[in-house]
Amino acid sequence: MQFNTYGGTGAALAVGLLNAPDHRAATLSAVLRAHEVTDPDLDDAQAERVSAWTARLHPVFGAPDPDAQIAAVNALLADAATGVQVSTHDGTAPHLHYVSQDLDTAERIKATTAGGLAVAICGAGGSRLGRCGRPGCATVFIDTSRNGRRRFCSVACANRVNVAAHRARAR
């Protein structure tokens, strides 16, 4: 499964923010840098706004009810999207942006993640936005597997669950 560039970028950024070890400005700025966000350095006030926004992204991942997932994304879009624009920043070919580049970084992050999650749901279905199935693991992921049946964030989590099940059967 492959996402288009814009949707994949926004959805992947949402995953990166949700899986960040903490929400200090330096940590969130590192996540933004890793996802090649323009002007990635956040001050403390921006980090606080991004952290509050990130909390709103959680219900979209691993949601068992597609209607609730769509409602959550629509609420995100209503609060973040500023309108579609054709952009040619940094010498790139014309491409779509769902947010004005004139906004501060925190506001651009909101629109980028909301738009990316909307594109991911429309293009691949909400079941591709998953939450790890290992009890105690809160990691979220985008399922890009061919069959769309990924249940764990990593091989390590899958192995822990499988070893525990094997030991339980052996008793």
Side-chain angles (χ1 to χ4, degrees), residues 74-145:
N74 281 336
L76 295 170
L77 287 168
D79 292 344
T82 59
V84 179
Q85 299 175 336
V86 177
S87 180
T88 58
H89 63 84
D90 302 324
T92 60
H95 58 281
L96 292 177
H97 274 247
Y98 294 94
V99 60
S100 169
Q101 291 300 299
D102 297 331
L103 296 175
D104 82 330
T105 302
E107 293 303 308
R108 285 187 293 109
I109 296 311
K110 290 169 61 173
T112 299
T113 54
L117 292 173
V119 169
I121 287 174
C122 292
S127 63
R128 296 288 186 148
L129 302 173
R131 186 176 301 276
C132 186
R134 182 178 68 84
C137 183
T139 303
V140 299
F141 59 86
I142 301 171
D143 182 357
T144 56
S145 67

Side-chain angles (χ1 to χ4, degrees), residues 32 138 167:
L32 300 182
R167 288 181 180 158

Side-chain angles (χ1 to χ4, degrees), residues 26-100:
T27 304
L28 293 176
S29 294
V31 170
L32 300 182
R33 240 179 258 103
H35 288 274
E36 300 178 357
V37 170
T38 304
D39 300 323
D41 296 320
L42 300 176
D43 60 31
D44 290 338
Q46 289 173 318
E48 194 172 306
R49 289 183 8 235
V50 170
S51 180
W53 177 258
T54 300
R56 292 184 60 193
L57 302 175
H58 266 284
V60 177
F61 288 83
D65 178 12
D67 291 333
Q69 187 182 44
I70 290 168
V73 170
N74 281 336
L76 295 170
L77 287 168
D79 292 344
T82 59
V84 179
Q85 299 175 336
V86 177
S87 180
T88 58
H89 63 84
D90 302 324
T92 60
H95 58 281
L96 292 177
H97 274 247
Y98 294 94
V99 60
S100 169

